[in-house]
Amino acid sequence: MGRRGAPELYRAPFPLYTVSVPRADLVVTAGGGGASKTGISNGVHFLRLERVTGSLSATLVHSHDTETRATMNMAVAGDILAVGQDATCHILRFQEEKEKPAGKKAGKKEDTCEAEVAKYASNPSVKKTEARKRKTGNKMAGDASGCLRNETAEMVVESLHVVHTDFSTDALQKTVRFDLKHSFLVTGGVDGFIRVWEIVTVGRDFKCCVWKNDQLVTGLCWNENMPHIADKMYRYQACRFGKVEDGDDAFRLYTVQIPHKRERKPLLCYISKWDGKNFLPLLTRDCGNEVISAMSISDLGTFIGLGTVTGSVAIYIAFSLQQVYYVKETHGIVVTDLAFLPDEGPTKEMTGENEAALLSVAVDSRCKLHLVPSRHMFPIWVVLLLCGLIIVLTIVLLQHLFPGLL
């Protein structure tokens, strides 16, 4: 696929640093300009994902203002968001209000408006953004005073808790994740500390470590069978666990290794697959010489998404680490985060005939859509029939060339 071949799904008024997909029809993306007084806002945007005339489109349904804090990383668990802002992690709950009944008498408009104002004024932790007009299906009613009555569902975002997660001089939370059961929250920052229960961590110290509670279980060495690569020639950039397709409670670990130093001739980057129980290396392949900046695994563990510092996006088959999709410099600037749409359930209506859908965001404020078309497979009976025909033709050919052979 050529340069800038991926369609643009959404453009925000600020740089985008992170994206998540809580469910098939909802996308959450966030970023901002930080505390600098440049006029660039900070926020978390909730997007409604819809299929319109055969194509996916995203419409802004709610904008949550984060004041002077830019959101740099995010994790989702049901209706809970954990967002990293500076040296803190903010825990937010979001929910959609039910549609308000239509047909209210005109004389009750002012009472309705006053009730809404009182409701949210009494709870300062709940921030409600004025409803924005959607491209389709968003009907607003109001009066000359400017009091609007929204007849569609609205998003309400509630701030639950704030925790300090980094205590260094230049404090910054670098990552946040929930575990699979959504029971634990894990954060890591530039101070070098990870508040964890059991996890795999990577860092700029050339190490990839497996932990259980506060005990080091093992360290991984991706290049032990690659003697031409020195130990401190590459560093780990990202690690993710992924399910094994059609496997019960089985997992694989995937890591990305990038060159530690820039060379005049760009070095290759590598992606590795590990056994999720004994952490033995299973497969390593190069993934080009564009430095990897972001990584994502699909829910069922079928695909791996990679973004680069030059704005390119690629998708690989997790089983073989074979590349099936690539768009060069679709963003033109560093890709900051990636998120797959869920692999099953209602998502199939969103992705249509495509096998996978990946969202990418970048500092250029754009959210782009990447689709992997379904691979057409021959039915098993066709394959068996072709094998039988090949065998018969081989026998006939041998009989013709060597009459006494058979």
Side-chain angles (χ1 to χ4, degrees):
M1 188 173 292
R3 180 183 174 97
R4 307 194 187 282
E8 183 178 305
L9 195 65
Y10 177 70
R11 185 180 300 189
F14 45 70
L16 293 175
Y17 295 110
T18 184
V19 62
S20 291
V21 186
R23 60 175 189 259
D25 64 339
L26 184 64
V27 175
V28 184
T29 188
S36 58
K37 298 179 180 180
T38 59
I40 301 177
S41 59
N42 301 281
V44 179
H45 282 190
F46 294 79
L47 312 176
R48 175 76 64 225
L49 199 61
E50 300 170 304
R51 178 166 286 277
V52 180
T53 63
S55 300
L56 283 177
S57 67
T59 307
L60 178 66
V61 294
H62 183 81
S63 177
H64 176 68
D65 182 22
T66 58
E67 300 174 351
T68 61
R69 306 178 306 274
T71 299
M72 306 300 293
N73 42 78
M74 175 170 56
V76 61
D79 61 351
I80 299 296
L81 286 178
V83 295
Q85 299 171 358
D86 300 328
T88 59
C89 186
H90 292 245
I91 310 300
L92 309 175
R93 176 187 287 125
F94 63 93
Q95 60 181 347
E96 289 180 285
E97 291 186 324
K98 296 181 180 179
E99 294 185 3
K100 295 180 176 63
K104 293 286 185 180
K105 293 183 179 179
K108 294 186 178 180
K109 287 180 182 177
E110 294 183 1
D111 294 339
T112 302
C113 293
E114 291 175 0
E116 288 296 305
V117 171
K119 172 183 176 182
Y120 287 94
S122 63
N123 189 355
S125 65
V126 179
K127 294 184 178 180
K128 181 179 178 184
T129 302
E130 180 180 344
R132 295 174 179 261
K133 189 172 183 180
R134 299 181 63 187
K135 294 180 180 178
T136 58
N138 193 12
K139 299 179 180 179
M140 304 293 293
D143 54 24
S145 66
C147 183
L148 297 178
R149 183 177 72 253
N150 189 6
E151 296 178 350
T152 62
E154 293 181 24
M155 192 74 66
V156 175
V157 180
E158 179 184 4
S159 179
L160 300 180
H161 193 60
V162 179
V163 59
H164 206 91
T165 59
D166 191 283
F167 299 91
S168 60
T169 303
D170 300 319
L172 178 66
Q173 179 177 301
K174 297 284 287 184
T175 187
V176 59
R177 287 288 183 273
F178 286 101
D179 73 319
L180 288 176
K181 296 181 180 179
H182 299 165
S183 302
F184 297 95
L185 182 70
V186 185
T187 63
V190 297
D191 62 357
F193 287 91
I194 302 232
R195 281 83 187 176
V196 299
W197 73 108
E198 180 177 356
I199 197 169
V200 176
T201 64
V202 299
R204 289 182 175 270
D205 58 358
F206 307 98
K207 296 179 181 179
C208 183
C209 302
V210 182
W211 302 83
K212 186 170 184 179
N213 298 322
D214 59 348
Q215 300 297 315
L216 177 64
V217 177
T218 186
L220 306 185
C221 182
W222 73 279
N223 60 328
E224 61 182 358
N225 295 321
M226 305 175 73
H228 62 286
I229 297 180
D231 286 341
K232 294 190 176 182
M233 189 175 176
Y234 282 79
R235 65 179 176 86
Y236 293 92
Q237 195 279 337
C239 62
R240 295 286 188 277
F241 277 106
K243 292 183 179 179
V244 176
E245 197 172 12
D246 301 327
D248 295 333
D249 299 326
F251 289 88
R252 295 284 186 261
L253 172 66
Y254 301 91
T255 61
V256 168
Q257 296 78 230
I258 63 175
H260 177 56
K261 296 181 179 179
R262 292 192 178 187
E263 303 288 345
R264 179 172 299 177
K265 182 180 179 181
L267 298 174
L268 293 172
C269 294
Y270 291 90
I271 182 171
S272 299
K273 180 172 69 170
W274 309 76
D275 186 278
K277 287 188 176 180
N278 52 34
F279 297 102
L280 295 176
L282 300 176
L283 183 63
T284 293
R285 291 190 185 275
D286 73 80
C287 49
N289 55 17
E290 295 177 86
V291 178
I292 305 301
S293 59
M295 180 186 188
S296 181
I297 309 292
S298 64
D299 287 352
L300 294 181
T302 309
F303 296 100
I304 302 170
L306 297 180
T308 73
V309 297
T310 51
S312 302
V313 173
I315 300 177
Y316 291 77
I317 298 175
F319 174 75
S320 61
L321 301 185
Q322 176 186 356
Q323 187 184 96
V324 293
Y325 175 95
Y326 174 77
V327 184
K328 182 177 177 61
E329 298 177 4
T330 182
H331 284 281
I333 196 169
V334 58
V335 176
T336 50
D337 201 7
L338 302 164
F340 280 96
L341 267 65
D343 291 305
E344 54 189 353
T347 307
K348 291 302 179 184
E349 299 178 2
M350 292 292 180
T351 58
E353 297 299 324
N354 298 289
E355 193 167 357
L358 175 70
L359 302 179
S360 64
V361 295
V363 182
D364 62 4
S365 307
R366 293 169 171 84
C367 177
K368 292 201 170 186
L369 174 67
H370 309 271
L371 298 173
V372 177
S374 296
R375 293 166 288 175
H376 298 287
M377 305 295 289
F378 287 104
I380 186 63
W381 67 268
V382 175
V383 176
L384 294 176
L385 180 60
L386 290 175
C387 291
L389 289 175
I390 292 174
I391 294 173
V392 171
L393 290 175
T394 302
I395 294 174
V396 172
L397 181 61
L398 291 175
Q399 183 67 26
H400 177 72
L401 296 175
F402 308 99
L405 181 63
L406 298 176

